[in-house]
Amino acid sequence: MNHSLAISGGAPVRSAARHWPAWPQQAPGAREAVADVLSSGRWAISGPYVDRSSWEHRFADAFAEYQDARFCIPTANGTSALITSLEACGVGAGDEVIIPGITWVANASTVLSINAVPVFVDIDPYTLCLDPAAVEAAVTPATRAIVVVHLYSGLADLDALTEIAQRHGIPLIEDCAQAHGARYHDRRVGGFGVAGTFSLQHSKVLTSGEGGVVITDDAGLARQVEHMRADGRTYRRAELRRGQMELVETADVMGSNFCLSEFQSAIALHQLAQLDMQNKRRRENAAMLDERLSALGLRPQRTSEGTTDRTYYCYAVAADHDQLRRAGMAAVAEALSAELNFSVYGVYTPLYRNRLYRPATRRRFRLGADHERRIDTGGISLPACEQAAATYLTLHHAVLLGDQRDIDDIADAFEKVLLHHDELPGRP
Ligand SMILES: *Cc1c(COP(=O)(O)O)cnc(C)c1O
């Protein structure tokens, strides 16, 4: 029998010799900035002052300006940005926090980590972000926050979600770890709720390796986050002399150490200058890919109506042809990966059955039978989350940073797998 697909021994669409665009991509000036930190005598904001503004201040000012936010507090990662934002909103022991059923595990683990209870809520099947009607139905007297995630390249329906949050008096936190630079009604996302959080982890469209950011327009909330990320210390406002500590023990709120290092701040500041250009390139390539894949009967992820500028953390597409569904997305992803020499994945496994969500493996969550019952996910199944898991595929944004030939390769691979679907292994 003559096999065509690369998984069954055929020639791949794209030879391994052709490389995909690299990620991350070093921004001009980043190398010199890192060298500058090395020789500066100050590697962290908790180190003594050296006669000039910290890189962290410079990055925070630049990001606040980019976002048009009043306050910007860099953090160690997106996880700590979420933890400090939730706590600054007053969320704590036993409170319910609404989160989407499909997202990265941090959205559940951060809620658990402050002794609160994640409430998994279904998504819109087209945008893959929180479904406002499902949010409305999930609100209870114990709900203390809603965390909305702009997933992959979709922006959530912020008009509906901000209305629900305001009507119930519940703080809305926007997790923008996958949406740096996206705009809704001409304004950057992250500014629609009481706080916006970002991750600067390696894979994200703005990265310093690890890192995070909280933005807010609320001075009180900003001050709380500042305390919580630096062990209860905040920046000294008065004149500084060389050798003095810039962080002082204000201690209004107890904290943890979630500070971003000077190396990371210096890198993030330079990478930020590339963000709009890279987002634009990804957007243009994604539009070409949308056209090619739609012509094959596939359904690219959509974004909500209020979206002005979409950004792509991943390109997601529903491959809900019967033949492909029968094989299962894992098999289809494997076949595409072999054609492209690039890893294609499904979407995140719904969090309530995700193997990364395992509170029982940590003694700290044994807070009594009632709490254990409330955080148990047994029996939860959300239809749109399950449907998305069964139909969508995702490609990391690096593949959108190239040219038309790259986009053609991706589309050709989909076309080839569709044509030769009979070579896909059956669902186990
Ligand atoms: C990456 C990510 C986070 C966590 O960020 P880290 O910097 O890895 O801690 C949180 N939420 C979403 C949606 C993410 O994609």
Side-chain angles (χ1 to χ4, degrees), residues 76-82 102-107 110 147-152 175-178 197-204 209-212 313 348:
N77 45 46
T79 299
S80 47
L82 283 165
I102 285 191
T103 177
W104 179 236
V105 68
N107 290 111
T110 50
V147 178
V148 57
V149 178
H150 303 299
L151 200 73
Y152 301 133
D175 182 349
C176 308
Q178 305 191 1
T197 66
F198 296 81
S199 164
L200 307 180
Q201 182 267 341
H202 175 105
S203 69
K204 310 294 159 100
E210 297 280 3
Y313 169 63
Y348 301 115

Side-chain angles (χ1 to χ4, degrees), residues 285-295 300-301 310 312 315:
N285 280 330
M288 284 199 277
L289 191 52
D290 280 353
E291 211 169 294
R292 290 267 334 252
L293 297 187
S294 300
Q301 180 189 10
R310 199 166 177 179
Y312 288 79
Y315 184 92

